[in-house]
Amino acid sequence: AYQAYQRDEHSLSRALFRAYITRYADDENADNALYWIGKSYLAEDRPASALREFRAVIAQHSSGDAMDETLFDMGEAFYALHACTDARTAFQTLTSNFQRSPLAGRARQRIREITRRPGNADCSS
């Protein structure tokens, strides 16, 4: 599934990740598979679909090891949808709850970028 993702075969990648989740729903990597489904939608510039999957990661695997990546990419998806308030919230949640994550610095940078935008409440300015 990941190899298909790397080859930009996102539809195939999602099908394989979903098959993995169906077969191994309780596996410790199920959260990662769900995350990669969301990431594949983001790669296809389909942020609304990505958000649906990222929300599922949070709802179903809140203690999983994919939470920092999920929150970061959730912020990116919100940003792509011009929802700066939601994007900032996702990035702030990452920096608050996952301070040691390698993504925390990037999230802080994204917060600064959003804050500096004129009319930053809706990213469309």
Side-chain angles (χ1 to χ4, degrees):
Y2 183 70
Q3 288 174 354
Y5 174 86
Q6 289 180 307
R7 292 188 307 265
D8 293 329
E9 297 175 5
H10 297 297
S11 182
L12 173 61
S13 175
R14 284 190 295 271
L16 293 170
F17 279 125
R18 287 196 196 285
Y20 181 89
I21 292 167
T22 299
R23 188 168 188 181
Y24 305 106
D26 296 326
D27 185 77
E28 67 182 26
N29 290 314
D31 62 328
N32 296 314
L34 194 52
Y35 164 76
W36 283 106
I37 293 170
K39 185 80 169 168
S40 74
Y41 282 122
L42 207 52
E44 290 181 330
D45 197 27
R46 296 172 59 188
S49 296
L51 281 171
R52 182 181 62 242
E53 304 301 331
F54 295 146
R55 286 181 173 128
V57 173
I58 291 169
Q60 298 169 22
H61 304 282
S62 62
S63 61
D65 65 353
M67 285 302 298
D68 58 337
E69 294 97 337
T70 299
L71 288 166
F72 186 85
D73 286 330
M74 180 178 261
E76 293 294 304
F78 278 126
Y79 191 80
L81 292 169
H82 307 290
C84 279
T85 301
D86 293 327
R88 184 179 19 251
T89 298
F91 292 130
Q92 287 172 333
T93 302
L94 189 161
T95 60
S96 295
N97 296 338
F98 301 95
Q99 297 171 2
R100 294 188 176 147
S101 167
L103 294 170
R106 287 178 56 200
R108 282 189 287 277
Q109 178 61 34
R110 295 298 275 154
I111 293 166
R112 284 191 293 274
E113 290 169 11
I114 292 167
T115 302
R116 289 183 189 138
R117 290 184 65 89
N120 65 52
D122 70 357
C123 294
S124 61
S125 305

